[in-house]
Every structure is written in C-alpha cells, then in structure tokens.
Amino acid sequence: MRTEIIKIETEYIKLQDLLKLGGVVDTGGAAKLAIQGGQVSVNGEPCTMRGKKMRSGDYAVFRDTKIQVE
C-alpha cells in the first residue's frame, strides 16, 4: 500500500478535498462518488460523509493508497 502524507496548516481538511490533494481522484465529483459509494475508509472505518473533517493524525484509505493528515 502506498502512503501519501498531507500536511495542513488549518484545523482540518474535508475528506473530499483530502482525496484530491492526495492524488487518488482527479475531481470533486469523483471524490463524491467514491465516498458515497462506500469505497473510502477513515481511521479504519467505512465513511460515506464527504464533508468529514479530517484532522492531524487522521487517515483515509482509498483503493491501494493511504492518505495521512499531519
């Protein structure tokens, strides 16, 4: 599994934006479909909320990529 590290300067980043920054989807629409389709897990649990607030220490997994927030 590949791991991408995303460093944020704000309190949080929304899950759909994290997927775009992590390079696993090209558009917000693709992120929406992946999340709503149950293809994304957050901190080891399935997540269908696109606006999920991801904070430092959280991670998302989509297909073969883990995206870690720092």
Side-chain angles (χ1 to χ4, degrees):
M1 180 176 292
R2 182 181 81 159
T3 300
E4 293 288 330
I5 306 293
I6 302 296
K7 296 183 184 208
I8 59 172
E9 302 292 324
T10 56
E11 179 186 349
Y12 65 87
I13 184 172
K14 290 183 180 177
L15 177 58
Q16 64 183 16
D17 297 329
L18 182 69
L19 294 180
K20 286 191 293 184
L21 275 177
V24 296
V25 295
D26 293 327
T27 66
K32 174 183 173 180
L33 291 174
I35 295 165
Q36 290 180 335
Q39 300 175 42
V40 179
S41 66
V42 172
N43 299 330
E45 299 291 327
C47 181
T48 57
M49 299 183 305
R50 328 185 295 217
K52 169 83 175 151
K53 294 177 180 176
M54 304 290 290
R55 294 178 166 82
S56 183
D58 289 338
Y59 68 91
V61 175
F62 177 62
R63 294 190 179 145
D64 63 345
T65 304
K66 176 181 178 180
I67 308 166
Q68 179 77 41
V69 180
E70 286 188 358

